[in-house]
Amino acid sequence: MGNLLKVLTCTDLEQEPNFFLDFENARPTDAEREVWEQVDVVLKDAKGILDELQAYKGAGQEIREAIQSPSDEALQEKAWAAVVPLVGRLKKFFQFSQRLEAALHSLLGALTSETYHDSTQHLEREQALAKQFAEILHFTLRFDELKMTNPAIQNDFSYYRRTLSRMRINNVPAEGENEVNNELANRISLFYADATPMLKALSDGTTKFVSENKNLPIENTTDCLSTMATVCKVMLETPEYRSRFASEETVSFCLRVMVGVIILYDYVHPVGAFAKSSKIDMKGCIKVLKDQPPNSVEGLLNALRYTTKHLNDESTNKTIKSMLQ
């Protein structure tokens, strides 16, 4: 019966969810509180992580000097001393991605449960959890933007691994090895090798959530994502809703969340966000982005152009492709 209702009520994009999701003031109800508190512990550390990443300068100078003078022991030690604490920071970011993935699991568990009939009711009635989900997406896109523009991260980590293996071959004790052993180094290296590591962690985590909850239809998860994208789009294009934002920053928050959830949907949904059968109005979402001041959304448009999975599929509507050119 539930699936029949879904078919009858969600055959097209005409019946968009239409409600105000209060990203600024949503507070948890008693029913939401347990999950909200678990996730809040993680989110409290998110700003600090972004601040540390933004301040990350790398050890490029020390590494260059050490490579140019391989027999100068003092320069080798100086480079190693500069890199080890930086690797500790990179390890911290990686471990935070695992905490974030666990928080996402908790939220998806609540927002896709059978408590309510559909994802619209979930997001409308569990606004504090929806806000936390949005904050995770907002953090993820910001983290990946900062990482993409900082080549020092991968250079530092590569140097660390090369130096560590050379020390092992020469039986030199390495203080820094306590920081990151070989197995962990492999995992961290894979994490940073991705152009958008935090987004990949979230999409892998969402896919894992779907595969671990086989009793839950995949539509419960993908509908949660598409509904969130639609709610953001509707709030941004409806003056009555948009005027309720107390801060202009909420507009950019909303735009970033809309793009993040589209990319996540594109990875998790079998045919992606750009297919004809997608429940996201991609033309409408791109139009909302293009209606903003260009310099404020170029990074988000680039995220859709270069970090989605299905944009360049043959099945993608030509109009959508040309809108993103």
Side-chain angles (χ1 to χ4, degrees):
M1 184 63 188
N3 286 337
L4 177 61
L5 281 172
K6 188 184 288 284
V7 171
L8 292 172
T9 56
C10 296
T11 49
D12 58 25
L13 294 163
E14 292 302 307
Q15 297 159 353
E16 291 184 324
N18 193 329
F19 63 89
F20 184 77
L21 208 171
D22 194 349
F23 284 140
E24 293 174 333
N25 306 303
R27 301 296 303 157
T29 59
D30 289 345
E32 294 170 275
R33 191 167 303 281
E34 188 182 344
V35 171
W36 186 90
E37 284 175 352
Q38 287 170 21
V39 176
D40 187 54
V41 170
V42 178
L43 284 172
K44 274 181 176 158
D45 293 335
K47 188 183 181 304
I49 295 284
L50 290 179
D51 290 343
E52 280 190 54
L53 179 56
Q54 194 150 16
Y56 190 99
K57 294 289 180 273
Q61 181 69 28
E62 293 88 341
I63 290 169
R64 269 192 303 278
E65 289 173 358
I67 290 170
Q68 281 163 4
S69 308
S71 55
D72 188 325
E73 208 52 51
L75 287 176
Q76 307 309 308
E77 284 174 17
K78 186 182 170 190
W80 183 247
V83 162
V84 168
L86 292 173
V87 165
R89 208 172 300 170
L90 295 179
K91 172 186 165 187
K92 180 181 173 183
F93 299 161
F94 168 71
Q95 289 173 329
F96 187 75
S97 77
Q98 297 175 307
R99 292 176 62 205
L100 203 67
E101 195 182 316
L104 180 72
H105 270 230
S106 300
L107 284 174
L108 286 174
L111 292 171
T112 62
S113 71
E114 302 294 334
T115 315
Y116 297 113
H117 290 304
D118 58 28
S119 54
T120 301
Q121 285 191 349
H122 266 292
L123 295 177
E124 191 170 7
R125 295 180 190 179
E126 297 177 314
Q127 294 218 358
L129 298 185
K131 178 178 183 248
Q132 286 184 320
F133 183 36
E135 284 168 345
I136 286 177
L137 290 161
H138 184 267
F139 165 85
T140 297
L141 258 70
R142 186 73 190 115
F143 182 96
D144 288 346
E145 278 170 14
L146 290 169
K147 182 265 173 186
M148 267 195 269
T149 54
N150 195 338
I153 288 172
Q154 277 173 280
N155 294 341
D156 291 350
F157 202 74
S158 297
Y159 178 80
Y160 172 82
R161 294 189 77 195
R162 285 198 309 274
T163 308
L164 201 56
S165 59
R166 198 165 58 241
M167 286 171 156
R168 276 203 204 97
I169 290 164
N170 299 329
N171 286 322
V172 176
E175 294 166 32
E177 193 166 7
N178 301 334
E179 196 68 69
V180 177
N181 63 29
N182 205 34
E183 187 267 336
L184 183 57
N186 288 337
R187 288 165 60 210
I188 294 175
S189 187
L190 275 174
F191 176 74
Y192 288 112
D194 200 277
T196 52
M198 209 55 84
L199 190 66
K200 185 171 192 310
L202 279 204
S203 56
D204 287 352
T206 308
T207 306
K208 190 173 156 196
F209 172 81
V210 169
S211 63
E212 283 176 359
N213 292 276
K214 292 190 170 38
N215 58 326
L216 207 64
I218 186 172
E219 292 79 20
N220 286 30
T221 304
T222 54
D223 284 358
C224 174
L225 302 179
S226 60
T227 303
M228 177 72 99
T230 304
V231 168
C232 289
K233 178 185 82 78
V234 169
M235 289 201 298
L236 288 161
E237 67 189 5
T238 309
E240 177 200 337
Y241 288 152
R242 193 161 167 160
S243 66
R244 288 171 66 181
F245 295 152
S247 161
E248 196 55 33
E249 279 182 20
T250 309
V251 173
S252 57
F253 178 87
C254 224
L255 289 162
R256 198 182 289 266
V257 169
M258 180 180 77
V259 169
V261 83
I262 287 168
I263 298 168
L264 201 53
Y265 182 96
D266 196 49
Y267 271 87
V268 175
H269 195 280
V271 295
F274 301 96
K276 201 173 180 180
S277 58
S278 163
K279 288 196 180 163
I280 297 177
D281 171 15
M282 283 308 304
K283 289 179 195 169
C285 290
I286 296 166
K287 183 181 181 305
V288 163
L289 283 166
K290 293 204 158 185
D291 285 345
Q292 313 305 314
N295 58 341
S296 69
V297 292
E298 196 52 35
L300 295 177
L301 287 166
N302 283 339
L304 289 178
R305 287 176 188 126
Y306 306 123
T307 65
T308 45
K309 188 178 179 182
H310 294 282
L311 174 62
N312 294 316
D313 288 4
E314 279 184 30
S315 58
T316 298
N317 182 304
K318 287 188 174 62
T319 312
I320 292 174
K321 281 185 180 175
S322 68
M323 284 175 88
L324 284 172
Q325 272 169 4

